[in-house]
Amino acid sequence: MKANLYPKIPLAQAVIEIFRQKEIQHIVISPGSRNAPLTMGFTNQEGFTCYSIADERCAAFFALGLAQQLQKPVAVVCTSGSAVLNYYPAVAEAFYSQIPLLIVSADRPKNKIDIGDGQTIRQENVFVNHIIFSANLTENVSEHNDNIIVSAIETAILQKGPAHINVPFEEPLYETLLAPTYVPKVTTSAIEDAEFTLDAKFISEWQSAKKKLILVGELLPNAIEQKYIESLAKDESVLVLLEKTSNLHYPSFIDRIDTLISTFSEEEKLNFQPDILLTFGGMVVSKRIKSLLRNYQPKQHWHIDEIRAYDTFGCLSQHFKTNSKSFLSQLLAENNVVESKYQYDFQAIWQDRLVKHEKYMSEIPFSDFKIFDFLSRHLPENIQLQVSNSSPIRYLQLVALNKTIEVFCNRGTSGIDGSTSTAIGAAVANKKPTILITGDISFLYDSNALWNNYIPKNFKIILINNSGGGIFRILPGHQETETFNTFFETSHHLTAEHLAKMYAFEYTSVQNEPELHAVWDSFISNDNRPSILEIFTPEKINDIVLLDYFKKL
C-alpha cells in the first residue's frame, strides 16, 4: 500500500489529481530534479503504474508502444532542458500514427528562461509542428491551468495524438505533504458523437463502378467485421490489397502488393487503373503501389478516417470523416454485385506470381530474403510481431504470414529510431509473446532500449546483421566506393553479443541455414529470460537476391 505522499507544490498536485480523475494510469518517468514534484507524486499515489527509464528518447518510444496497444493515453515525464527534446522522434511518430501520448515536461519559471540559468531552454510550444495541443501552464495554480490540462488530455484522446503539458516549478522541489493543499476543478467537455450518413450518390457510384480497388494500410487487429470482409470478397468488381500491418485476412485478399504489381505490363497497368480507389488504415509501406497509382490515377480516391486524409496519390476526391465500420455498414447495405472481371483478372496473375515466388525461394542462397522466407514458415502462431523500419518491414511484405500473427511497425514517420523501445513497451502492454524483427543498424541505434527493467521474460529479438544499412544497396545510386560504404551503408563489424551479456539477454548467433534450423526450437521455447537471436547474412548478395526476385516474377 502506497503512503499517498503529495508534493508540496500546488501545481504538481493539480497535474497529478487531474491525471487520476482522467484515468491516465501509465506514467513513464525519466530521472531528473526539476520534475521531482511530479515524480514523487505519481510514484506515491494509488492508481498509477510508473516506469523509470533513464534515456528520454527510449522512454518516449516505450510509452508509444504502451499506448499503441492500450489505445489510451500514456504519459512521459521529464526534467527541464534538453531532456524534452529527446521526446521529439516519438512525438512525431505518435502524431502521424495517431497514437495518444502525453508529454509532461518540467520547466524553470518564466523569469529564469534566457538569463543563463543551467538546464534551461525555451520549452513552450517546442513541438509546435507535430502536436495536437500545447498546454503552457503558469507557475501558480488556477482554474485556467486546470482547464488546459483537461483539454490536453481530452484532445489527445479525441484526436488520437500527442499533447504537450509544460509545467514550471520553482525550488524547493523535494518537499512533500501527507494531504493535498489544492484540489483542482476537473471538468469534462460534452462530446457529441456526430452521426455519419453516407450520401446516396456515393453508394450509387460505388455500385456502378466496374473496377474498385481497396488498399488497406495500418489497422489494429479485428478492426473490420467479418461480414464486411466477406461482402467485399464476393464482389467481382472489387480487388483488395493489404499491407502486412493491416492485420486483415481473407483468402482472396492480396497481402504481398509488390509481388503482384512489380512486373505489370503496360496493358496490365491500364487494366489495374481503378474507377474508385478506397483507402483506409494508416501509412502504406509499398513504394511501388504509390508510384503505380500516381502514374495511373483512379478516377476517384476516397479515404476513410475520423481525423485526416493524405493526398498520397495526387487525386484525393473525398475524405469520409468516420470509421471503417460506420462507412462499410452503409456502403455495403445493399448487396448489389456488378458484373466485372476486375478481381478475376488479377487473381489469375496473382496465382501465377505465387508459383514463381515458391520456385525462386527454393533456389536462393542464404540471405536476408531467405531469412524472411524461413520466418514466414516457422514463426509461432498467436504472437505479436513488432518489425523495425527500413529493410525488415519491406521484406515482410513479400512473404506469407500466419493470420494469427499481429503485426506492428512505426510507420508514421518510418524512422529506425525507437523500434526496439516501442516493441518492449508494446510487449509490456499486450501480454502476448512478442518477437521483434530488426536490422543491425536499427538495433544498434536504439541499443539503450535494453536498459529497461520491465522487459518480459518471453520477449525475443531476431536481429538480422548484414554489417550495415543493406537497404542502400537496393536503392538507386549504389556504387562500391568508400563514400558509399562509410556514409550510406555505414559498414561495421559490430555484434549484439556483449550488449546481450550486459543486459542479461540470452544470446544465440547463426551464420547459415543449417545452424538456424538447429537453434530455432530452443530459441522459440526459451521463456526463462529475454533473448536475442543474431543471424549474420552476407553483406554483398542481399541486394542481388532481392532485385533478381522481381525479374523472375
Side-chain angles (χ1 to χ4, degrees):
M1 196 77 174
K2 291 184 178 178
N4 268 0
L5 288 175
Y6 294 84
K8 187 175 181 180
I9 297 175
L11 182 59
Q13 294 175 25
V15 172
I16 293 160
E17 181 56 27
I18 292 171
F19 272 45
R20 183 206 315 285
Q21 292 197 34
K22 289 296 181 180
E23 298 182 340
I24 308 302
Q25 297 172 327
H26 295 270
I27 316 292
V28 182
I29 301 170
S30 293
S33 183
R34 191 60 48 168
N35 59 332
L38 295 170
T39 300
M40 291 186 298
F42 281 125
T43 57
N44 287 287
Q45 298 282 314
E46 293 293 334
F48 298 111
T49 301
C50 296
Y51 310 85
S52 175
I53 296 181
D55 184 317
E56 282 88 3
R57 188 177 72 186
C58 294
F61 276 109
F62 176 84
L64 183 89
L66 288 170
Q68 175 200 84
Q69 297 299 311
L70 296 169
Q71 289 297 293
K72 294 179 180 178
V74 172
V76 282
V77 179
C78 70
T79 190
S80 63
S82 61
V84 68
L85 301 180
N86 288 294
Y87 286 161
Y88 212 137
V91 169
E93 179 63 35
F95 178 79
Y96 287 108
S97 286
Q98 297 184 10
I99 293 174
L101 197 65
L102 296 171
I103 298 92
V104 185
S105 55
D107 199 0
R108 297 301 205 258
K110 274 196 173 182
N111 63 359
K112 296 291 177 67
I113 308 299
D114 287 343
I115 65 166
D117 226 24
Q119 214 168 324
T120 307
I121 65 169
R122 299 171 189 175
Q123 292 182 202
E124 291 190 355
N125 305 313
V126 74
F127 304 116
V128 63
N129 288 326
H130 299 96
I131 206 80
I132 59 173
F133 195 97
S134 290
N136 297 307
L137 306 186
T138 54
E139 190 180 345
N140 295 318
V141 290
S142 66
E143 189 173 335
H144 173 71
N145 269 347
D146 297 345
N147 288 339
I148 61 174
I149 296 168
V150 170
S151 294
I153 295 169
E154 290 182 347
T155 306
I157 295 168
L158 289 172
Q159 295 187 24
K160 300 178 184 176
H164 178 204
I165 303 171
N166 194 58
V167 194
F169 293 130
E170 183 56 282
E171 298 178 5
L173 302 168
Y174 292 88
E175 295 179 332
T176 58
L177 303 168
L178 293 175
T181 56
Y182 178 76
V183 179
K185 295 180 180 179
V186 183
T187 57
T188 300
S189 303
I191 308 299
E192 291 185 16
D193 280 336
E195 191 172 325
F196 173 78
T197 302
L198 182 60
D199 194 296
K201 94 178 181 76
F202 294 113
I203 298 173
S204 176
E205 288 172 355
W206 178 263
Q207 291 175 347
S208 61
K210 293 195 172 183
K211 295 197 296 181
K212 294 171 287 218
L213 179 66
I214 296 179
L215 176 61
V216 188
E218 286 179 290
L219 279 182
L220 291 170
N222 306 309
I224 309 294
E225 288 184 44
Q226 190 66 23
K227 62 181 179 181
Y228 303 130
I229 293 171
E230 291 175 359
S231 180
L232 292 169
K234 290 174 184 175
D235 191 334
E236 297 173 350
S237 64
V238 174
L239 180 67
V240 181
L241 302 185
L242 309 172
E243 297 270 292
K244 281 294 189 296
T245 51
S246 72
N247 291 298
L248 200 57
H249 307 279
Y250 198 80
S252 63
F253 293 176
I254 297 171
D255 68 347
R256 289 179 261 172
I257 298 171
D258 289 1
T259 300
L260 173 71
I261 70 173
S262 292
T263 55
F264 274 175
S265 65
E266 182 65 22
E267 182 182 353
E268 288 166 341
K269 290 175 183 176
L270 289 168
N271 189 25
F272 180 80
Q273 187 174 17
D275 299 324
I276 298 174
L277 168 66
L278 177 63
T279 58
F280 54 93
M283 300 296 190
V284 171
V285 176
S286 171
K287 291 177 70 174
R288 284 180 164 87
I289 193 65
K290 293 175 190 173
S291 176
L292 181 57
L293 290 171
R294 285 166 185 163
N295 290 314
Y296 295 82
Q297 290 183 337
K299 294 173 185 175
Q300 297 188 67
H301 173 201
W302 302 350
H303 186 70
I304 309 164
D305 188 271
E306 294 168 288
I307 297 165
R308 63 176 84 112
Y310 296 112
D311 192 8
T312 304
F313 312 104
C315 55
L316 182 68
S317 54
Q318 195 67 36
H319 174 201
F320 298 101
K321 289 190 174 182
T322 187
N323 57 57
S324 53
K325 178 182 178 180
S326 175
F327 181 86
L328 292 174
S329 67
Q330 297 177 62
L331 183 72
L332 306 176
E334 297 177 33
N335 195 19
N336 285 18
V337 176
V338 181
E339 190 174 320
S340 170
K341 290 184 64 186
Y342 191 54
Q343 186 183 140
Y344 174 83
D345 287 345
F346 289 98
Q347 283 293 338
I349 294 170
W350 174 236
Q351 295 306 315
D352 178 66
R353 296 279 198 271
L354 289 180
V355 172
K356 290 175 178 174
H357 172 93
E358 291 300 323
K359 183 175 187 299
Y360 187 77
M361 298 312 295
S362 69
E363 296 170 348
I364 62 174
F366 190 68
S367 57
D368 287 356
F369 202 178
K370 191 70 171 179
I371 299 306
F372 279 87
D373 179 58
F374 174 91
L375 294 176
S376 77
R377 302 170 197 276
H378 293 87
L379 282 171
E381 296 183 0
N382 298 304
I383 62 167
Q384 176 188 191
L385 190 66
Q386 292 277 336
V387 189
S388 76
N389 275 304
S390 209
S391 295
I393 189 59
R394 297 187 185 281
Y395 275 116
L396 193 72
Q397 295 278 95
L398 301 175
V399 297
L401 209 58
N402 185 281
K403 67 181 182 180
T404 66
I405 296 174
E406 299 175 353
V407 181
F408 298 90
C409 179
N410 285 348
R411 290 305 298 177
T413 62
S414 307
I416 65 166
D417 47 352
S419 294
T420 310
S421 296
T422 302
I424 294 169
V428 169
N430 189 298
K431 308 300 182 189
K432 274 191 170 186
T434 299
I435 296 177
L436 167 68
I437 302 176
T438 184
D440 49 327
I441 299 297
S442 180
F443 174 81
L444 293 168
Y445 197 84
D446 194 27
S447 60
N448 266 2
L450 306 186
W451 183 13
N452 182 311
N453 294 324
Y454 312 99
I455 303 174
K457 290 181 179 180
N458 61 357
F459 179 74
K460 300 182 190 325
I461 298 174
I462 296 171
L463 168 57
I464 301 171
N465 189 338
N466 54 25
S467 306
I471 196 169
F472 287 100
R473 291 182 167 271
I474 299 160
L475 299 175
H478 164 230
Q479 293 179 326
E480 209 63 49
T481 64
E482 185 177 344
T483 295
F484 174 83
N485 292 336
T486 303
F487 294 100
F488 288 91
E489 189 182 32
T490 54
S491 296
H492 67 86
H493 300 288
L494 302 172
T495 80
E497 182 176 4
H498 296 293
L499 276 172
K501 186 175 182 180
M502 181 166 71
Y503 292 114
F505 270 65
E506 190 79 33
Y507 176 80
T508 308
S509 68
V510 300
Q511 310 230 13
N512 54 54
E513 194 168 0
E515 289 181 2
L516 178 57
H517 279 278
V519 304
W520 181 256
D521 287 345
S522 60
F523 169 70
I524 289 298
S525 62
N526 177 22
D527 291 337
N528 296 322
R529 58 175 173 156
S531 53
I532 296 172
L533 171 59
E534 187 163 22
I535 306 172
F536 294 97
T537 62
E539 180 184 4
K540 293 180 179 175
I541 69 164
N542 290 310
D543 57 323
I544 298 168
V545 170
L546 181 60
L547 295 172
D548 280 351
Y549 171 71
F550 295 111
K551 294 175 186 175
K552 293 291 175 66
L553 288 175

